[in-house]
Every structure is written in C-alpha cells, then in structure tokens.
Amino acid sequence: MTQRPMRARARAHANIALVKYWGKRDREHNLPAEGSLSLTLQALQTTTSVRFDPALDSDRLTLDGTPATGKALSRLSAWLDIVRARAGCSAFADVVSDNDFPTASGLASSASAYAALALAATSAAGLSLTPTELSILARRGSGSAARSIFGGFVRMHRGTREDGSDSYAQPIDAGEADESDETTWPVRMVIAIVGDGGAKKHPSRDAMEHCARTSPLYAGWLASVPGDLQAAADAIAARDIRRLGDISESSALCMHAAAMASRPAIVYFRPTTMSCMETVRALRSRGVLAYYTMDAGPHVKVLTTKEHAREVATALARIDGVSRVIESAPGPKAELIP
Ligand code: PMV
C-alpha cells in the first residue's frame, strides 16, 4: 500500500431522476427493486478528495468544511471497508467533500458524493475500475450515485443477481446535439429551492424502507416503473420532451403517493412545493414546455428546454417561499481532478 499513490481528488455531478428509484430488493448490497432513469446536472457538483494514511487511527470526513460524525461517518467507513478489502489496504482515510449546493435537502447530494468518492477512493487506493465497476461500487453507498458516474441521460438497471453484479447504470445515447432544434431540445433543468434548503426530515434510505413495509400503494408504484422506463427511453430516443415530461411527472407523483400512504405518512411536499407545481401547469397551458419532478425533499425540479429555461426560472423565483432558483444544462460524467 505504501508504494501506491494514496491520494486522489474527483468531481461528480448530481442527477435528478425522471423515472424514480424508490425501494430496494436487497439492503446489504443496496440493490434497487426496479430500474430508474435520470439526468446528470452541470450546476450541482461535488468535489471530493481522499487520502489513505497509515498514521490515522480512524476514518475522517469533512463535509462542506464541517467535521462529520455519527451516521454519515459510520456509513462512509462501512463503504470504505469495501474499497479497502478490494485494494488489500488497511489504512484509514481522510475524506474532504464539498458541495456547491445545499446538502441532504433532497437535492441528491448523496448521488454526486458517492460517485465522486468511488472515483477518488479507488484511485487513491491504487485500483483502476471500469465505469461499470465504479457504478456498482457507488451504488453500495447510495442507489442514485450509480447514475452520477455518467453524464447526460442515464439508465440504471435493476439486475437480477443476488451479488448486484448486474445492477449498474449506463449512459443513454441521446443522439447528436442539434442546436437548430431549440424549441423542444436541448433540455434544461430549473430547480426551485423551497425554504432554507436545510436537512430533510426523512432520509431517503429509511423512508423508502418504511414505505415498502407499510404503504398499501407500494406494490402499485413498483408495477408502474418498467413501463415508464421503456416509455422514457423511447421519448429520449425520439427527442420528445412532451412525452418525457409527462412520464416524469407521473413517476414522481406515483412515488410520492406511495410515500404519503405510508403509515405513519411521509409527506415531502410543502405548500410552496404545490405552488411551484401549479405554476408549472400554468406555464404549460401557455405553451411553455415545463414538467416538474420532486424527490425526498420539498424542492421542485423542472424539466424544460434551453429556449424556455429563463421564463421558467423567472416564474419560479417569484413564488413566495422559493429561496433560490438554479438553472442547469445536462452535466458530464464523474472525473478525476489532476
Ligand atoms: O440514492 P438514495 O438512496 O438517496 O435514493 C434516491 C431517491 C430519490 O432521490 C427520491 C429518487 C431517485 O431516483 O433519485
């Protein structure tokens, strides 16, 4: 271990699911109950550096400048054990991770965090993994992180094997960019941060397990996913944002309906969330191409086009309770920083 490079830094971008991941088929390997489909975003980025150091007596994590303890640290240590076992190394690690957006607020920080970590930690440990292997490793930290290894539109496979070796993400070829077709494509995402962007009440991992255990709507939600995945992939191939947007809204509402029907209920929406959804519907009735989706938090992410992104951002920024609006183009794959 001492002969190898022991330090590396990587950058990854968050992704927003258009067909959601909500539920696991295996807890230990963190395997999804169904596939999912997402868009990686340029504007939401995490930079992580990892240093394995034999002089350390435990793993250390600094998150946005603050030392982390408790759950976040023990979850990281358990994940680092997978990397250590694979690399045959016993040194503890010093991990420093910085997000340029609010952490743990339903803005997919764990996705970019574990994607950047997978790349930085394996490189620091002297491992050289394929993108598929990185996606599988990132998935062990967070299901959605498997998708942030790749840029643009990404599809996550459920897989059927017990060891999870066929449960990984792959980029979707969205065709050559045709800038002359700006009315329906290229796509953009506009994010309305609702409230102060503070930590969410129900972390997704616990919430999806609680939902699977107690919600009478969970089975119906799961049954909706395969058809939505195929339809979303077809819509991307056809560059049909209307169809893709309709599927995104339905998938998000179906996931949230299942969560809300949990006992006790899991409700991520705030009144401002509903106002944003209403505004998106009103924009659409005026011919603006805009479609909402929400994750394990109150924020509203709107799929739109380059042509309409500014109008969508302006309308969302006017809503009472929206503290910040972020416009984003599709983002790149995770990369090492020299
Ligand atoms: O990757 P996790 O465990 O944080 O779960 C992500 C869950 C959602 O964001 C709600 C949906 C998704 O597919 O990203």
Side-chain angles (χ1 to χ4, degrees):
M1 179 70 208
T2 43
Q3 304 308 315
R4 295 176 186 153
M6 294 182 64
R7 175 196 290 268
R9 199 152 69 104
R11 180 188 302 127
H13 293 77
N15 71 77
I16 300 298
L18 302 177
V19 178
K20 301 293 182 195
Y21 151 55
W22 190 255
K24 300 181 197 298
R25 66 180 170 92
D26 177 84
R27 192 193 169 106
E28 193 205 330
H29 290 94
N30 203 26
L31 298 172
E34 276 303 340
S36 55
L37 187 148
S38 61
L39 181 65
T40 300
L41 296 185
Q42 172 75 49
L44 306 181
Q45 124 184 341
T46 300
T47 305
T48 300
S49 64
V50 177
R51 183 174 56 89
F52 286 102
D53 184 346
L56 290 173
D57 54 11
S58 64
D59 290 319
R60 285 200 296 215
L61 170 63
T62 309
L63 212 55
D64 290 327
T66 308
T69 51
K71 259 192 178 176
L73 184 59
S74 51
R75 185 173 158 193
L76 170 73
S77 276
W79 183 88
L80 283 168
D81 286 343
I82 303 172
V83 178
R84 282 188 276 258
R86 199 153 172 171
C89 122
S90 57
F92 289 111
D94 185 16
V95 175
V96 179
S97 191
D98 290 296
N99 292 311
D100 64 355
F101 55 93
T103 305
S105 59
L107 262 193
S109 60
S110 68
S112 47
Y114 273 94
L117 250 176
L119 199 51
T122 52
S123 172
L127 294 166
S128 178
L129 267 53
T130 65
T132 299
E133 289 170 324
L134 281 170
S135 179
I136 289 171
L137 179 63
R139 189 205 71 228
R140 297 289 297 266
S142 156
S144 53
R147 301 185 308 235
S148 271
I149 295 296
F150 304 101
F153 288 110
V154 176
R155 186 163 176 171
M156 174 76 194
H157 302 289
R158 172 194 194 275
T160 53
R161 294 188 201 137
E162 276 181 22
D163 66 356
S165 56
D166 58 351
S167 181
Y168 54 81
Q170 267 182 323
I172 296 174
D173 181 5
E176 288 297 301
D178 178 4
E179 295 286 324
S180 65
D181 183 23
E182 281 198 5
T183 51
T184 60
W185 216 263
V187 297
R188 293 290 183 269
M189 200 158 262
V190 179
I191 299 166
I193 307 274
V194 170
D196 60 6
K200 62 193 171 195
K201 274 209 302 258
H202 308 285
S204 50
R205 181 168 289 222
D206 302 341
M208 62 177 81
E209 286 181 8
H210 173 68
C211 177
R213 255 194 336 267
T214 68
S215 174
L217 301 191
Y218 180 71
W221 145 251
L222 273 193
S224 76
V225 179
D228 282 352
L229 275 175
Q230 192 51 51
D234 292 347
I236 291 167
R239 300 174 148 250
D240 185 345
I241 193 172
R242 291 180 178 84
R243 179 102 187 90
L244 182 60
D246 281 345
I247 296 158
S248 304
E249 288 197 353
S250 300
S251 178
L253 291 174
C254 205
M255 176 205 119
H256 282 275
M260 284 187 213
S262 303
R263 301 169 186 194
I266 297 167
V267 183
Y268 289 112
F269 295 178
R270 308 293 311 135
T272 306
T273 311
M274 303 299 281
S275 303
C276 293
M277 291 160 68
E278 204 49 52
T279 295
V280 169
R281 275 191 286 266
L283 284 166
R284 205 154 64 224
S285 70
R286 301 206 309 265
V288 176
L289 294 169
Y291 305 85
Y292 56 73
T293 183
M294 288 74 57
D295 293 286
H299 317 302
V300 179
K301 296 95 183 211
V302 181
L303 180 72
T304 183
T305 61
K306 186 176 175 187
E307 191 194 15
H308 290 150
R310 184 45 52 89
E311 187 172 352
V312 171
T314 306
L316 291 173
R318 280 201 204 104
I319 298 170
D320 224 23
V322 170
S323 56
R324 185 176 160 201
V325 173
I326 303 168
E327 277 182 61
S328 184
K333 64 181 182 179
E335 271 166 330
L336 282 169
I337 307 170

